[in-house]
Amino acid sequence: MKTVVVTGGTRGIGYGLALEFLKRGCQVVICGRSEDSTQEAVDKLTAQYGGTHIFGQACDVSDYDQVRNLWVAAKEHFGGVDIWINNAGLSHAPVNLWQIDPERTQAVLDTNLLGLIYCNQVVIEGMMEQGSGFIYNMEGSGSTGKPMPKLLLYQLTKRALKFMTTGLVQATEDSLVNIGYLSPGMVATDLLREGYSPSEWERVKRIFNVLGDRVETVTPYLVEQILANNQHGARIAWLTTPKIIWRFATARFRKRDIFSDQSTD
Ligand SMILES: NC(=O)c1ccc[n+]([C@@H]2O[C@H](COP(=O)([O-])OP(=O)(O)OC[C@H]3O[C@@H](n4cnc5c(N)ncnc54)[C@H](OP(=O)(O)O)[C@@H]3O)[C@@H](O)[C@H]2O)c1
């Protein structure tokens, strides 16, 4: 039975991943920044899948000691960690770089860069001691290197994530630790919706409804691929180029609303 840690597992994609791993019989550890959000998510998952396979502990990934504590607690609770997913992430309203306030700038960098670095440091070292393990870092807009002027801060963190992951894949080549990339595409979560004015939202929603998907559509695929993967340096992606072409080509004939309660997809 595999033990999987999902950082930022209280909502959105992370919660969806946790649920899909539980569905497939894995033992799952989640964290959010607060005890309340973490407990609430654990309670919801427990109501569906029972409490024996789920464990939660608050952990702000931008705090090194909290990351270490999460690693130790996960190991103690389930006896080891097979898969660790660096999913926790923050974005910002779609505005120019100079319009983002310093607190938000700090928070995005703290979570997406410092948090990512701390998690990789702690978990690679821990998995080397343990003798094995898989780590996945969550890509996002910017990872491929195409700048979007109103998303630059977020994008630079995801570009850096790609850069760091590629370097870590090389650095761990001769070890039993495997590192990979996850790319979920566009997913209808709080993060995707954040900060749009009503008129901007009407505009971008059209694109999201062509290319995007719901958490419950994307996460089963990602989890199946993660559980099947035994390659170091693997990239598991939902929204591939052929899929993008197909989505645009058929957009006129398919009425989709991934943000409504009931999808027509
Ligand atoms: N949605 C998309 O279209 C999309 C596309 C590509 C990539 N991604 C990436 O996928 C990941 C998840 O995104 P999402 O859309 O699911 O976002 P979301 O719905 O906003 O959820 C973010 C999660 O991260 C947690 N979190 C935020 N800061 C944290 C911190 N410092 N320490 C620990 N946990 C923290 C939140 O928990 P609490 O609030 O409980 O602390 C929450 O569980 C992110 O890395 C994002 O960049 C998303």
Side-chain angles (χ1 to χ4, degrees):
M1 188 186 303
K2 295 240 185 307
T3 297
V4 187
V5 178
V6 184
T7 68
T10 62
R11 295 181 278 125
I13 299 168
Y15 182 85
L17 292 172
L19 192 140
E20 295 299 329
F21 280 118
L22 282 171
K23 215 185 258 182
R24 287 159 181 77
C26 298
Q27 300 176 136
V28 177
V29 179
I30 60 165
C31 78
R33 285 162 292 185
S34 73
E35 281 182 17
D36 284 355
S37 68
T38 307
Q39 193 54 50
E40 199 180 311
V42 167
D43 290 346
K44 267 165 61 187
L45 292 167
T46 300
Q48 270 182 283
Y49 295 101
T52 50
H53 286 185
I54 176 77
F55 171 71
Q57 177 162 307
C59 167
D60 185 331
V61 294
S62 66
D63 181 317
Y64 183 85
D65 290 339
Q66 291 186 35
V67 174
R68 265 220 70 81
N69 290 344
L70 181 66
W71 166 260
V72 170
K75 274 196 72 158
E76 278 177 7
H77 200 86
F78 288 126
V81 175
D82 301 292
I83 301 169
W84 179 291
I85 300 180
N86 287 315
N87 165 78
L90 276 187
S91 189
H92 52 83
V95 292
N96 289 308
L97 185 73
W98 58 91
Q99 294 168 310
I100 305 172
D101 66 51
E103 290 76 24
R104 190 62 177 190
T105 303
Q106 187 77 55
V108 171
L109 296 181
D110 281 353
T111 294
N112 296 11
L113 286 184
L114 209 50
L116 178 79
I117 292 167
Y118 287 161
C119 285
N120 276 279
Q121 287 173 329
V122 166
V123 179
I124 292 172
E125 198 183 19
M127 285 183 172
M128 280 179 171
E129 267 171 35
Q130 183 182 260
S132 64
F134 280 79
I135 299 169
Y136 291 93
N137 292 330
M138 188 67 93
E139 293 183 3
S141 177
S143 287
T144 57
K146 286 197 195 96
M148 290 165 68
K150 300 228 165 152
L151 218 51
L152 276 186
L153 180 66
Y154 172 80
Q155 284 193 306
L156 79 82
T157 67
K158 293 297 180 180
R159 184 67 172 155
L161 175 146
K162 184 88 181 270
F163 180 81
M164 193 184 84
T165 306
T166 302
L168 287 175
V169 168
Q170 291 171 15
T172 54
E173 217 149 33
D174 297 327
S175 79
L176 293 171
V177 178
N178 299 281
I179 301 183
Y181 315 76
L182 279 186
S183 174
M186 288 178 187
V187 190
T189 64
D190 298 343
L191 181 143
L192 193 71
R193 290 187 193 96
E194 185 172 350
Y196 289 102
S197 68
S199 60
E200 280 173 333
W201 178 244
E202 283 313 308
R203 188 176 52 80
V204 295
K205 204 168 86 168
R206 284 204 281 273
I207 298 287
F208 292 157
N209 274 325
V210 173
L211 294 181
D213 285 287
R214 292 166 182 266
V215 168
E216 56 269 32
T217 307
V218 175
T219 50
Y221 173 83
L222 294 180
V223 165
E224 288 288 338
Q225 298 294 310
I226 291 167
L227 291 175
N229 178 49
N230 54 18
Q231 298 294 310
H232 182 49
R235 181 170 185 270
I236 296 172
W238 166 257
L239 189 61
T240 55
T241 304
K243 200 180 270 175
I244 293 172
I245 294 168
W246 170 253
R247 287 282 178 89
F248 277 123
T250 58
R252 278 196 309 144
F253 313 108
R254 304 169 81 225
K255 192 168 154 32
R256 303 172 81 233
D257 185 356
I258 62 168
F259 301 97
S260 73
D261 285 341
Q262 288 191 335
S263 176
T264 52
D265 195 17

